[in-house]
Amino acid sequence: MEAVIGKTNLSGKKKLRAMEKQKQKERKRWIFFGICFAAIAAIVLAVIFAPKPKPVAFDYEQIPMLGSADAPVKIVEFGDFKCPACRYFSQEIKPKLVQDYIEQGTVALYFMNNTIIGPDSFAAAMAGQSVYHQNPKAFWSYYDAIYKNQGDERVAWATPAFLVELAKNAQLQVDYEKLMRDIESETYADEVIAHNAKAEKLISATPTLFINGVKYEDFADYDKLKRAIAKAG
């Protein structure tokens, strides 16, 4: 009888130890889940309450503008006159912006150079800056003319002669001889270099937009752009 009782007690102890081990496993599992939940919650809260980056400041009065300076939404385009994607923006997106917003006075479009394609990107930028300084209102006609007549990005087509001829064909109210001199002597090189330096700190591709100073890259989706404009306004 004593042997039987001893075996029974031993069996009971094994069961108790097994139950305790199971409880420990359960506790560890819950602790693990608790740590994971806390970590996820911390990440979510960090994302929600993380300080938003400050809008980028632009000297709007010193760069080409299409629209009203009083427009509540200001869009800055960083572009390269040799960039095919920029050509798409100029021909497909910009006209919609003009019709839906710029003519209504709710959006103003600005332009800054980012000459990343080739050496003649810089020449085209020189031409644009010359036209802008001679006649700010003529800049956007020239902008349209360059993109409409854009050549292969792999070919150096933006020569001084070509750029001046474009201005003549567009009947821009500027001094064509001065335009040629400004391109060849790189009169506004400091301005374009400053544009490039700012772009280098902010973007990795053209075109890139900034809506009231907030970076916006999905330029080709007009419906999404409209939502971003509504949010900014």
Side-chain angles (χ1 to χ4, degrees), residues 36-49:
C36 290
F37 177 80
I40 293 171
I43 293 171
V44 171
L45 290 173
V47 170
I48 293 174
F49 294 104

Side-chain angles (χ1 to χ4, degrees), residues 86-222:
C86 298
R87 183 176 189 267
Y88 177 87
F89 176 81
S90 75
Q91 296 189 325
E92 301 297 330
I93 304 301
K94 174 176 161 284
K96 295 177 183 178
L97 287 173
V98 171
Q99 178 179 321
D100 295 341
Y101 298 101
I102 294 173
E103 289 181 348
Q104 316 306 321
T106 55
V107 167
L109 178 64
Y110 298 80
F111 182 80
M112 293 186 71
N113 296 283
N114 185 25
T115 56
I116 58 175
I117 302 296
D120 55 329
S121 296
F122 200 79
M126 288 298 102
Q129 291 303 107
S130 176
V131 169
Y132 166 63
H133 283 286
Q134 288 193 56
N135 182 356
K137 291 183 179 180
F139 172 84
W140 292 98
S141 295
Y142 195 47
Y143 168 103
D144 290 335
I146 295 178
Y147 281 123
K148 183 179 179 180
N149 293 276
Q150 185 187 77
D152 191 316
E153 63 180 312
R154 297 165 294 183
V155 178
W157 53 265
T159 64
F162 178 83
L163 293 164
V164 172
E165 190 65 23
L166 275 183
K168 290 179 179 178
N169 292 340
Q171 299 181 342
L172 301 185
Q173 299 301 305
V174 298
D175 183 330
Y176 303 123
E177 292 183 1
K178 184 179 187 308
L179 174 58
M180 178 67 81
R181 290 195 304 271
D182 287 344
I183 298 169
E184 293 181 330
S185 63
E186 298 185 347
T187 301
Y188 299 103
D190 288 347
E191 292 182 1
V192 175
I193 290 170
H195 290 190
N196 286 339
K198 194 174 186 73
E200 187 175 351
K201 296 177 181 178
L202 297 173
I203 69 174
S204 58
T206 55
T208 296
L209 309 179
F210 282 81
I211 303 176
N212 283 353
V214 178
K215 188 175 182 180
Y216 180 85
E217 296 179 286
D218 197 359
F219 68 91
D221 187 333
Y222 187 61

Side-chain angles (χ1 to χ4, degrees), residues 10-113:
L10 183 59
S11 177
K13 289 179 180 179
K14 286 182 178 180
K15 288 182 179 180
L16 287 173
R17 283 197 294 269
M19 291 175 62
E20 186 61 32
K21 286 182 179 180
Q22 184 63 32
K23 290 180 179 179
Q24 288 178 356
K25 286 181 180 180
E26 291 294 330
R27 283 195 294 268
K28 288 179 180 180
R29 186 179 293 113
W30 283 110
I31 291 172
F32 173 77
F33 287 147
I35 292 171
C36 290
F37 177 80
I40 293 171
I43 293 171
V44 171
L45 290 173
V47 170
I48 293 174
F49 294 104
K52 295 181 179 180
K54 292 182 179 180
V56 176
F58 292 97
D59 193 352
Y60 294 107
E61 295 181 357
Q62 301 302 318
I63 54 179
M65 178 193 71
L66 181 63
S68 171
D70 296 327
V73 178
K74 302 181 188 302
I75 300 177
V76 176
E77 174 201 355
F78 277 100
D80 184 325
F81 285 116
K82 290 196 67 179
C83 165
C86 298
R87 183 176 189 267
Y88 177 87
F89 176 81
S90 75
Q91 296 189 325
E92 301 297 330
I93 304 301
K94 174 176 161 284
K96 295 177 183 178
L97 287 173
V98 171
Q99 178 179 321
D100 295 341
Y101 298 101
I102 294 173
E103 289 181 348
Q104 316 306 321
T106 55
V107 167
L109 178 64
Y110 298 80
F111 182 80
M112 293 186 71
N113 296 283

